């Protein structure tokens, strides 16, 4: 169920019987010449709402602007400073705990959020407020993603392209796929060695490696591949929610000192 669509009385019924919520988290940032800037939050919301529909668990509104300063050189990218993001998400979850939620799945679709959502989860658990864990769709089905694309990429690549082709095909600039491939960094995994020095990662911003802001071969993406990956990852998310909901209430609390 989607929180914003329901009345407070209907939500009260939910909080009486359940204690889990899905919180979709994405970004609003450049995704090359072929994908919309909302790519990450559209993917996150797609997964969260699909899992909520299948399970009946609560899905909150999406966090759409997050930690994206590494894309700031491209027009329209929005971001908040990392401490602000962590404080905001922490406060948002504590709002949910006021209503009885004590376990949360951050349905995340932006790599720049991962470490910060993990930190938020630690804060909440150390305080005994909630058990909140970060879930990233492609990390739940790594073998399927690798098999689907010859030249994948972590940002604006074929996996995200296929996902938007499936979820929001009207937003994909299909005529720009070859341009995205040719103007970006196609062989990401092979070329990463070129941007490190003596074991140190030497870059901070996306534009330092990819002139148009994307990686991988976008022409390898199709809506059919996107649908297959979406369904498989949604299965994983549903199983995660059911596992978390079934855990004892002491999951919220950190272990005692040895």
């Amino acid at each position: 169920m989607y929180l914003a669509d329901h009345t407070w009385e209907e939500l009260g019924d939910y909080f009486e019987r359940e204690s889990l919520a899905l919180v979709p988290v994405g970004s609003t940032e450049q995704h090359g010449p072929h994908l919309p800037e909302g790519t990450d939050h559209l993917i996150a919301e797609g997964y969260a709402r699909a899992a909520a529909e299948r399970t009946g668990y609560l899905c909150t509104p999406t966090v759409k602007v997050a930690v994206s300063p590494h894309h700031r050189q491209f027009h329209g990218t929005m971001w908040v400073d990392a401490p602000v993001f962590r404080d905001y998400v922490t406060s948002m979850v504590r709002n949910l705990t006021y209503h009885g939620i004590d376990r949360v799945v951050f349905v995340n679709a932006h790599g720049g959020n991962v470490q910060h959502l993990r930190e938020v989860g630690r804060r909440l658990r150390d305080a005994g407020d909630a058990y909140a864990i970060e879930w990233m769709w492609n990390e739940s089905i790594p073998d399927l993603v690798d098999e689907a694309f010859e030249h994948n990429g972590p940002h604006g690549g074929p996996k995200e392209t296929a996902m938007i082709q499936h979820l929001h095909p009207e937003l994909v600039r299909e005529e720009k796929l070859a341009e995205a491939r040719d103007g970006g960094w196609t062989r990401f995994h092979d070329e990463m060695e070129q941007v490190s020095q003596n074991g140190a990662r030497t870059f901070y911003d996306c534009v330092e490696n990819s002139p148009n802001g994307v990686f991988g071969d976008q022409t390898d993406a199709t809506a059919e591949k996107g649908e297959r990956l979406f369904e498989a990852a949604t299965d994983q998310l549903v199983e995660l929610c059911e596992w978390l909901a079934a855990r004892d209430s002491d999951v919220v609390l950190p272990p005692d000192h040895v």
Side-chain angles (χ1 to χ4, degrees), residues 15-87:
F15 294 130
E16 282 185 5
R17 67 178 187 274
E18 301 288 357
S19 60
L20 184 146
L22 297 114
V23 178
V25 188
S27 68
T28 300
E29 63 185 27
Q30 72 83 18
H31 275 77
H34 63 303
L35 291 179
E37 302 226 344
T39 289
D40 288 346
H41 72 246
L42 291 170
I43 293 172
E45 183 167 325
Y47 276 114
R49 295 189 71 158
E53 183 175 345
R54 283 178 51 178
T55 61
Y57 292 126
L58 187 71
C59 174
T60 73
T62 304
V63 178
K64 296 183 178 182
V65 178
V67 185
S68 303
H70 48 295
H71 294 293
R72 68 189 186 279
Q73 289 90 349
F74 296 92
H75 302 309
T77 292
M78 301 181 69
W79 72 93
V80 294
D81 292 337
V84 175
F85 173 78
R86 292 192 295 266
D87 288 348

Side-chain angles (χ1 to χ4, degrees), residues 180-219:
R181 175 198 62 199
D182 298 340
W185 202 6
T186 305
R187 302 177 67 88
F188 174 80
H189 296 291
D190 296 339
E191 295 168 345
M192 270 297 290
E193 295 180 1
Q194 300 176 20
V195 293
S196 63
Q197 182 66 42
N198 300 100
R201 187 170 177 172
T202 59
F203 62 93
Y204 285 93
D205 294 331
C206 177
V207 73
E208 295 178 69
N209 298 324
S210 175
N212 70 359
V214 294
F215 303 89
D217 182 359
Q218 293 74 15
T219 65

Side-chain angles (χ1 to χ4, degrees), residues 41-182:
H41 72 246
L42 291 170
I43 293 172
E45 183 167 325
Y47 276 114
R49 295 189 71 158
E53 183 175 345
R54 283 178 51 178
T55 61
Y57 292 126
L58 187 71
C59 174
T60 73
T62 304
V63 178
K64 296 183 178 182
V65 178
V67 185
S68 303
H70 48 295
H71 294 293
R72 68 189 186 279
Q73 289 90 349
F74 296 92
H75 302 309
T77 292
M78 301 181 69
W79 72 93
V80 294
D81 292 337
V84 175
F85 173 78
R86 292 192 295 266
D87 288 348
Y88 178 86
V89 178
T90 300
S91 180
M92 179 178 174
V93 174
R94 284 184 172 143
N95 170 284
L96 293 171
T97 67
Y98 179 81
H99 298 296
I101 296 297
D102 68 1
R103 55 204 75 193
V104 168
V105 178
F106 295 123
V107 182
N108 180 38
H110 174 50
N113 295 337
V114 173
Q115 63 179 314
H116 306 293
L117 292 173
R118 288 285 298 171
E119 174 59 26
V120 169
R122 171 167 287 284
R123 285 185 188 179
L124 292 164
R125 193 181 190 212
D126 286 354
D129 294 328
Y131 185 70
I133 52 178
E134 183 267 344
W135 178 86
M136 189 90 167
W137 72 269
N138 55 291
E139 295 296 332
S140 75
I141 51 168
D143 293 340
L144 289 178
V145 174
D146 287 343
E147 292 169 5
F149 310 109
E150 183 176 359
H151 297 298
N152 201 6
H155 180 75
K159 69 175 185 283
E160 290 187 327
T161 303
M163 204 56 57
I164 298 298
Q165 285 172 323
H166 168 56
L167 293 172
H168 297 279
E170 74 283 1
L171 297 179
V172 181
R173 282 65 170 176
E174 295 284 348
E175 74 281 3
K176 297 278 190 176
L177 296 184
E179 177 185 332
R181 175 198 62 199
D182 298 340

Side-chain angles (χ1 to χ4, degrees), residues 1-3 6 10-11 14 17 52-53 56-60:
M1 61 187 298
Y2 183 58
L3 185 150
H6 291 271
E10 293 164 347
L11 291 167
Y14 178 83
R17 67 178 187 274
E53 183 175 345
Y57 292 126
L58 187 71
C59 174
T60 73

